[in-house]
Amino acid sequence: MANPGRGVNNSTSRASDLSFLRALDHRRILVGLAVCAAYILAGKFSLRLASVHPSASPVWPPTGIAIATLVGLGLRFWPAVFAGAFVVNLTTAGSVLTSLGISAGNTLEAVLAAYLVIRFANGRRAFERTWDILRFALYGATLCTAVAATFGVTSLTLGGFATWGQYGLIWRTWWLGDAAGALIFTPFLLLWGANLSLSWTKRQLMEAGVLLASLIATAGILFGVFFHARMSGDPWTFLCAPFLVWTAFRFGQRESSAVICLLSMIAVVGTVHGRGPFVRETPNDSLLLLQTFLGFMALMTLIFGAEVTERRRQEEHARMLAVSDPLTGLANYRLLLDRLDSEIKRYLREGRPFSVILLDLDGLKKINDAHGHVVGSLALCRMAEVLHLSCRAIDTPARYGGDEFALVLPGTSAEDARRVAQRISERLREDVEIPRLSVSIGISEYPRDGATIEHILSAADQALYNEKHRIPGRSPVTQSP
């Protein structure tokens, strides 16, 4: 007999799946519309800075928006980039055909850059390593931006909206504007889009405030945003560089990308008004020189930040290896001695005793001989997991050496330590994984069983020795006599 409930359940499941897909499609449409709107707004604002041709601006953030969108959200959002580029160019200069040609070039630029960055530069994580940053700069900011410049200038020339004599000047402006937009805005959007949360301490928050205020003040004076100060010559161009280094060294890639964008906006505003060290005979030359400088500064800052982050990661890894056992992840002998020394000092201050449990994994050599060394290593890891499950956050489980483990129990008497040891033995007996594990255990208490680290460990080791050689019927957990 057919089960009518099964058909109802299948229908309900299909309806639920369809509702989910509709909601997902609606969300993608909204995201695409938002990307298109951001592209249009950024493009219309940037074209107000165009001087050599209404369609060629030396400042072009839409390239960064497009590449970040396709790398972060997927290549399927290319229609949003195409629509945004088409609207921007159709409402600026040219005809429908030239706008289609320019839009095709801008879209192809973003698609190729995103594909190459995903394929060769680690995609969304392109700014974590130096070589990935250099690959992004090569593919995304140098080669692919030439595609948009070529499509765009050729479309304008063939359409009669530019002369062949202007081709080189317009192409250079287009290419450098797109390249700077990729180098400055793509890292900012990708890094902050991946993680918007700030986990700063109060000290870091204060430092960030000082850094931000200092950068704004220095850049504002350098580029004449606050008041007109005549500054020209190469030395002035590097006044803001220490703040970029400061950000990369003290904070990270996200914060560095934000500072670069902030500096870029202040510098563009000042340069457009004919102020700052990059002012030349024409506004276009001034902005091109500024964008070239900002692009290189952005690249160098990101590389420096990546190297600093990698150095810190290696130092942290080295510190972990120095105090932890690479196989089990437990504290090693060095950290064990450090914790014992800390507990002795705590006892001298507070008068609270502590206990040490030594554990010896029984028959590890037989396990290695019967099952192989891989299984023997897994047995040590199983033992480490049992220790983690059986102790508190303030306790220190450690690998004492070979098949021996130790457990430091702050503020714990020998009697309480014995209960912990029994709990460990019970967990091992309940573990049905083959081979079965068991341990011999010895316990000592400070200062009852010794006044130094050597004495307390020797007492626990003697108790462990007695456990291994106990007569039948002796308690399975032995304390120091």
Side-chain angles (χ1 to χ4, degrees):
M1 180 177 178
N3 185 359
R6 180 178 300 176
V8 173
N9 291 336
N10 290 339
S11 300
T12 303
S13 177
R14 284 195 296 269
S16 177
D17 292 341
L18 289 174
S19 299
F20 173 76
L21 291 176
R22 291 193 191 99
L24 186 61
D25 289 339
H26 291 161
R27 187 175 65 179
R28 288 176 180 174
I29 291 173
L30 291 176
V31 171
L33 291 174
V35 170
C36 181
Y39 193 102
I40 293 172
L41 291 175
K44 297 302 291 184
F45 173 79
S46 300
L47 288 177
R48 296 178 63 183
L49 306 177
S51 58
V52 297
H53 191 277
S55 297
S57 172
V59 180
W60 195 247
T63 295
I65 295 174
I67 295 176
T69 298
L70 299 188
V71 172
L73 301 179
L75 297 177
R76 61 180 177 273
F77 283 92
W78 70 263
V81 175
F82 182 86
F86 180 76
V87 172
V88 169
N89 288 279
L90 185 64
T91 57
T92 300
S95 62
V96 174
L97 290 179
T98 59
S99 298
L100 286 174
I102 294 172
S103 304
N106 290 341
T107 305
L108 184 60
E109 167 195 69
V111 170
L112 287 176
Y115 172 78
L116 292 174
V117 170
I118 294 172
R119 178 68 176 82
F120 299 106
N122 210 14
R124 300 179 186 178
R125 305 176 65 181
F127 305 103
E128 294 183 2
R129 296 185 301 180
T130 298
W131 280 110
D132 290 333
I133 295 173
L134 292 175
R135 292 187 185 102
F136 167 81
L138 175 63
Y139 300 136
T142 304
L143 299 180
C144 293
T145 50
V147 174
T150 303
F151 267 70
V153 182
T154 303
S155 299
L156 291 173
T157 305
L158 293 177
F161 294 94
T163 65
W164 289 104
Q166 295 177 300
Y167 194 98
L169 177 61
I170 299 175
W171 191 95
R172 184 187 64 172
T173 301
W174 201 306
W175 175 62
L176 286 176
D178 283 18
L183 286 172
I184 295 171
F185 292 97
T186 302
F188 173 76
L189 294 173
L190 280 178
L191 292 169
W192 284 94
N195 183 14
L196 283 172
S197 62
L198 291 175
S199 56
W200 292 349
T201 63
K202 291 183 179 180
R203 183 174 181 179
Q204 287 178 316
L205 190 61
M206 293 178 60
E207 183 180 359
V210 173
L211 170 61
L212 187 63
S214 302
L215 174 65
I216 293 175
T218 304
I221 295 172
L222 178 62
F223 292 97
V225 175
F226 299 143
F227 58 87
H228 184 36
R230 182 64 180 173
M231 291 189 177
S232 60
D234 292 338
W236 295 108
T237 61
F238 297 98
L239 280 180
C240 294
F243 299 102
L244 301 180
V245 175
W246 182 0
T247 307
F249 186 78
R250 294 290 295 164
F251 292 94
Q253 297 291 70
R254 286 191 313 159
E255 293 78 5
S256 297
S257 66
V259 167
I260 292 168
C261 287
L262 177 61
L263 175 61
S264 174
M265 290 186 288
I266 296 174
V268 168
V269 171
T271 304
V272 167
H273 288 84
R275 301 168 184 174
F278 295 97
V279 175
R280 295 297 182 268
E281 295 180 358
T282 65
N284 190 70
D285 289 340
S286 301
L287 288 174
L288 285 180
L289 185 60
L290 172 66
Q291 290 294 86
T292 303
F293 174 78
L294 290 174
F296 275 105
M297 290 301 293
L299 181 61
M300 294 299 103
T301 302
L302 291 171
I303 290 175
F304 180 74
E307 289 296 323
V308 170
T309 302
E310 180 63 24
R311 176 66 178 269
R312 287 175 178 167
R313 188 181 298 116
Q314 292 177 357
E315 289 177 351
E316 181 63 26
H317 182 63
R319 281 194 293 267
M320 287 297 297
L321 291 178
V323 297
S324 64
D325 176 61
L327 176 62
T328 62
L330 299 178
N332 62 8
Y333 185 73
R334 175 184 296 179
L335 183 57
L336 173 64
L337 296 182
D338 182 69
R339 294 295 169 83
L340 288 173
D341 183 65
S342 298
E343 289 304 318
I344 291 175
K345 292 177 180 178
R346 189 196 305 272
Y347 172 82
L348 297 177
R349 293 193 308 268
E350 304 174 3
R352 297 179 59 190
F354 68 91
S355 295
V356 175
I357 301 178
L358 287 186
L359 309 98
D360 184 75
L361 187 59
D362 296 330
L364 180 61
K365 184 178 184 306
K366 294 181 179 179
I367 293 175
N368 288 331
D369 294 339
H371 302 279
H373 288 277
V374 173
V375 176
S377 298
L378 291 177
L380 294 173
C381 294
R382 287 165 56 193
M383 182 65 206
E385 184 179 358
V386 169
L387 290 179
H388 275 303
L389 294 174
S390 304
C391 66
R392 304 164 297 179
I394 62 172
D395 300 334
T396 302
R399 188 177 178 189
Y400 191 58
D403 56 357
E404 293 185 329
F405 297 83
L407 185 58
V408 181
L409 304 171
T412 304
S413 64
E415 185 63 26
D416 292 332
R418 187 179 63 82
R419 285 192 285 269
V420 174
Q422 290 176 342
R423 187 162 63 244
I424 294 172
S425 298
E426 290 172 2
R427 286 184 183 274
L428 290 175
R429 283 195 298 268
E430 293 170 357
D431 185 4
V432 296
E433 187 174 346
I434 301 299
R436 305 295 293 270
L437 303 180
S438 63
V439 290
S440 301
I441 299 176
I443 299 172
S444 62
E445 178 184 327
Y446 182 90
R448 187 195 68 181
D449 300 318
T452 65
I453 295 176
E454 292 77 9
H455 291 161
I456 196 72
L457 289 176
S458 297
D461 191 58
Q462 183 61 45
L464 175 62
Y465 179 83
N466 294 337
E467 158 74 8
K468 274 189 169 295
H469 298 83
R470 71 182 186 276
I471 60 175
R474 181 176 291 185
S475 173
V477 179
T478 304
Q479 300 178 25
S480 177

